[in-house]
Amino acid sequence: MPIWTEVVDRFRGKRSLERLTMDELDREKIKLDLQERKQIQQTQQFEREKEKFFAQGIRESSSQMKLYYARKVKELDSDVRLNDRVLKALSHKIRVYNGIVSVKKWMQILSEDKRSLLNKLSLAELTQWIEGNTVDGELRQQQLDGLVSAVESGTGVIADVDANEEADVQKIFELMNSAPIDIKAPEDIARDSMPEVNTILRERA
């Protein structure tokens, strides 16, 4: 579901920018920030567990158990990637809400006629415009000026938005098997090996 449809659904009944209050936007941003923080903490926990399983695999003398722990690392990496997709979606949504807040604040310095025009924009139009005009996570003055010009000229504000495995268990097993446990502790090896493990897990078949 596109972000703009989620925003419109969330504020069902508030069809125009004028009817959407800053308090409502602030409440939604707080919820999104909390969700984002929770996902980050969960991802960090998954990464710690990956290191733990890798270290356990290094300790094992049995090939079967090493392969078992290699699979556990792979399973956890799937959780990490799923969380990453969720975080990207949350980040996108937060940028849209930040964009709406920016437009609302910026409107305060406009003339009454221009405010009146922008207030009549539907949330669907505005959120799609924000998605297409956000640069480096924020709206710039040039984009905001362009929004007013588009509304005044009647050309419309909606821009086209581009719609924006696998780890080989055997390779992880080989890393565990070749770990220099006579030189380093398994936990240290696991920590040092994670960049290489992550590279393997993200290789395209």
Side-chain angles (χ1 to χ4, degrees):
M1 178 187 292
I3 298 297
W4 70 267
T5 59
E6 290 187 35
V7 174
V8 172
D9 286 345
R10 177 65 188 86
F11 296 108
R12 191 175 298 280
K14 307 234 172 187
R15 296 183 179 276
S16 65
L17 182 59
E18 184 176 25
R19 296 184 180 184
L20 189 58
T21 68
M22 291 295 288
D23 284 344
E24 289 172 316
L25 289 167
D26 286 340
R27 282 196 295 270
E28 284 304 307
K29 283 188 77 250
I30 289 170
K31 288 180 185 177
L32 290 170
D33 287 340
L34 288 173
Q35 289 177 37
E36 186 178 46
R37 195 172 305 128
K38 181 179 178 181
Q39 290 296 134
I40 289 171
Q41 290 171 348
Q42 195 175 57
T43 297
Q44 290 170 337
Q45 178 61 31
F46 288 147
E47 291 289 1
R48 285 192 292 269
E49 289 177 8
K50 277 170 62 180
E51 284 189 20
K52 175 184 170 184
F53 282 132
F54 193 87
Q56 287 173 330
I58 291 171
R59 284 196 182 91
E60 293 291 339
S61 57
S62 161
S63 293
Q64 285 184 326
M65 289 306 297
K66 283 185 185 292
L67 283 170
Y68 166 77
Y69 285 117
R71 292 187 194 104
K72 296 303 289 184
V73 170
K74 175 180 177 178
E75 289 167 13
L76 280 166
D77 191 69
S78 295
D79 292 330
V80 169
R81 283 183 288 163
L82 177 60
N83 263 27
D84 187 56
R85 288 194 290 271
V86 173
L87 279 168
K88 284 178 181 176
L90 282 171
S91 178
H92 190 181
K93 197 181 296 187
I94 288 169
R95 286 198 302 272
V96 169
Y97 277 96
N98 285 341
I100 298 173
V101 169
S102 294
V103 171
K104 292 279 283 186
K105 289 180 177 178
W106 176 68
M107 284 170 58
Q108 295 172 8
I109 66 171
L110 297 178
S111 67
E112 187 174 342
D113 288 344
K114 289 182 178 179
R115 280 201 307 272
S116 179
L117 277 173
L118 292 180
N119 270 325
K120 291 175 183 176
L121 275 176
S122 71
L123 283 183
E125 287 179 305
L126 179 62
T127 50
Q128 287 181 81
W129 178 85
I130 288 170
E131 285 190 271
N133 288 274
T134 301
V135 179
D136 295 331
E138 63 182 22
L139 289 172
R140 296 179 178 171
Q141 188 65 46
Q142 183 179 357
Q143 278 78 30
L144 292 167
D145 290 339
L147 174 62
V148 173
S149 298
V151 174
E152 285 180 323
S153 66
T155 57
V157 300
I158 298 176
D160 292 331
V161 181
D162 291 334
N164 308 25
E165 132 181 358
E166 164 101 28
D168 189 339
V169 172
Q170 184 64 34
K171 287 185 179 180
I172 299 174
F173 162 76
E174 289 168 2
L175 277 178
M176 291 175 176
N177 213 27
S178 62
I181 54 176
D182 54 329
I183 300 174
K184 283 183 169 182
E187 290 79 7
D188 293 335
I189 298 170
R191 185 168 49 253
D192 294 343
S193 298
M194 277 302 105
E196 186 173 358
V197 170
N198 288 333
T199 298
I200 292 170
L201 286 165
R202 285 158 179 75
E203 283 178 350
R204 297 291 179 182

